[in-house]
Amino acid sequence: MFPLLKTRPKARKPVAPETRTLDVAGRLMPLTIKQHDRATRITLRIEPGGRALKMTVPRGLATREVNAFLDRHQGWLLTKLAKFSTDTGLRDGGQILFRGVSHHIQHTGGLRGLTEAVLKDGRPVLRVSGMPEHVGRRIATFLKKEARADLARLATMHAGAIRAPIRSISMKDTRSRWGSCSSEGNLSFSWRIVMAPPAVIDYLAAHEVAHLKEMNHGPRFWALCKKLCPDMEEAKSWLKRHGSQLHAIDFD
């Protein structure tokens, strides 16, 4: 007699996420619903910036159960989304943070010209040219350029301090994380960090550079990160309090 051979159950095919638009008291929110084999309950979270929703449900959960859950949590969503303003203020006379300082937006009226941060009568001003409807995009282009300059300088400085080579530095607009570091030495940063105070920008650079030596978030990593950025805890606290507000700004 031959022993019975145990066969592993075939892994089930993943179910494609469902996408829909959810009306929250007149505010239309993109919603992604993902079924997960290991999920035992429904979870609903607001994406960083308050611009989308993500829902995880047990596999095979009936649509009526999903809809009932969403109906029950309308009040919760309304309360949480209230802190995310739908008015970006990216227009002449509006305000935008740049390196932690609120700048008054001044549309010059000219079709050509550089976007520049200046002091006018002692007041921080961001001068923006071009068509009025393109003010947001021009500000974003300016912030990306400044973020690259700041982070390239800071990352290079920190990498030199620990003698860790950087292969490349790139700017992205990620919502789930502020930066990343690959095992090949490629650093990536969210350019929105340039709206934060200089100490917070420095912390982000130090954080990702520390990963060049420690590809984890263990005690040795945090010790190295604090060595590179002594104000680490204050910077982390600032990001926790204000990070979502930076993600919420729609530059388009």
Side-chain angles (χ1 to χ4, degrees):
M1 297 290 290
F2 294 96
L4 293 175
L5 297 177
K6 291 184 178 179
T7 58
R8 293 181 180 178
K10 290 184 179 179
R12 292 195 289 180
K13 257 186 170 182
V15 180
E18 176 192 348
T19 58
R20 64 165 87 167
T21 300
L22 183 67
D23 188 335
V24 184
R27 185 170 179 172
L28 300 180
M29 299 291 298
L31 169 66
T32 301
I33 303 173
K34 185 176 181 180
Q35 295 188 33
H36 200 290
D37 287 336
R38 295 185 179 179
T40 58
R41 60 190 179 89
I42 301 174
T43 59
L44 176 64
R45 68 184 179 88
I46 301 171
E47 295 285 6
R51 298 173 65 184
L53 306 173
K54 186 175 182 180
M55 193 175 191
T56 302
V57 303
R59 185 170 181 135
L61 188 71
T63 300
R64 66 176 180 276
E65 296 290 340
V66 173
N67 294 339
F69 182 92
L70 291 170
D71 287 342
R72 290 197 305 272
H73 288 78
Q74 278 276 322
W76 178 84
L77 281 171
L78 191 59
T79 300
K80 293 296 183 180
L81 290 171
K83 67 177 183 178
F84 299 106
S85 173
T86 56
D87 181 10
T88 64
L90 299 180
R91 58 180 177 272
D92 185 53
Q95 302 285 328
I96 185 70
L97 280 173
F98 176 49
R99 296 189 180 122
V101 177
S102 182
H103 282 62
H104 177 79
I105 300 172
Q106 182 184 73
H107 183 238
T108 65
L111 294 180
R112 296 181 180 274
L114 296 174
T115 300
E116 56 181 354
V118 299
L119 279 177
K120 187 175 180 181
D121 299 326
R123 183 184 187 186
V125 173
L126 190 66
R127 291 171 51 84
V128 187
S129 60
M131 299 294 288
E133 60 267 29
H134 297 157
V135 166
R137 275 182 276 173
R138 283 183 172 260
I139 292 175
T141 299
F142 169 79
L143 294 178
K144 291 173 189 177
K145 179 183 176 183
E146 296 297 319
R148 177 176 289 278
D150 284 4
L151 289 162
R153 173 179 56 82
L154 291 166
T156 300
M157 178 186 71
H158 289 311
I162 62 174
R163 297 182 180 179
I166 297 173
R167 183 177 180 183
S168 70
I169 297 175
S170 61
M171 298 296 116
K172 296 184 179 180
D173 192 13
T174 51
R175 306 283 176 175
S176 58
R177 57 175 64 182
W178 285 103
S180 65
C181 172
S182 74
S183 57
E184 293 80 22
N186 300 313
L187 304 184
S188 176
F189 300 99
S190 169
W191 55 264
R192 290 173 181 261
I193 197 67
V194 80
M195 292 185 278
V200 180
I201 303 172
D202 180 52
Y203 160 67
L204 179 60
H207 183 113
E208 299 310 331
V209 166
H211 279 311
L212 293 172
K213 289 285 190 180
E214 299 288 339
M215 289 295 289
N216 54 70
H217 284 103
R220 291 175 59 181
F221 165 80
W222 288 115
L224 179 57
C225 192
K226 188 169 182 62
K227 182 178 179 181
L228 293 174
C229 178
D231 295 330
M232 178 184 75
E233 294 301 335
E234 292 84 350
K236 286 171 63 179
S237 178
W238 192 96
L239 270 182
K240 186 176 181 180
R241 294 195 311 271
H242 305 291
S244 291
Q245 297 170 25
L246 306 188
H247 282 307
I249 300 173
D250 187 355
F251 290 89
D252 294 327

